[in-house]
Amino acid sequence: ANKLEHKLKNIKINRKLTIAVMGCVVNGPGEAKHADVAIAFGKGSGLIMVQGEVVAKLPEGELVDRFVREVEAFATKKS
């Protein structure tokens, strides 16, 4: 969570944005379904979700960077 907070702190947000950081890929998708962008960590891999839909299942090492890109894209797109 601290790593994500650090990476997200300088993103310019042009709209209201709800972000969820989940510790479980089993419950994460259901619990984060109302978030605009969400990440759920698992053992060695995890999920990235945008507006309740899983958009990527990635190895742990790729999760944070993809999550940041998804937040940046969502934060700057027109509503």
Side-chain angles (χ1 to χ4, degrees), residues 19-69:
I19 294 173
V21 178
M22 311 305 292
C24 175
V25 294
V26 175
N27 295 329
E31 293 175 353
K33 68 182 174 186
H34 298 294
D36 295 314
V37 185
I39 187 169
F41 292 91
K43 187 173 183 176
S45 67
L47 304 173
I48 304 293
M49 295 151 283
V50 177
Q51 293 187 305
E53 298 295 321
V54 175
V55 297
K57 180 178 181 182
L58 299 168
E60 188 175 299
E62 298 175 29
L63 278 173
V64 171
D65 289 337
R66 173 65 182 269
F67 180 71
V68 171
R69 287 194 308 270

Side-chain angles (χ1 to χ4, degrees), residues 1-41:
N2 289 336
K3 185 176 183 178
L4 288 172
E5 185 175 327
H6 176 74
K7 288 191 172 260
L8 297 174
K9 72 179 178 182
N10 293 320
I11 294 176
K12 302 293 183 214
I13 298 175
N14 297 333
R15 60 194 299 187
K16 181 180 175 189
L17 180 65
T18 303
I19 294 173
V21 178
M22 311 305 292
C24 175
V25 294
V26 175
N27 295 329
E31 293 175 353
K33 68 182 174 186
H34 298 294
D36 295 314
V37 185
I39 187 169
F41 292 91

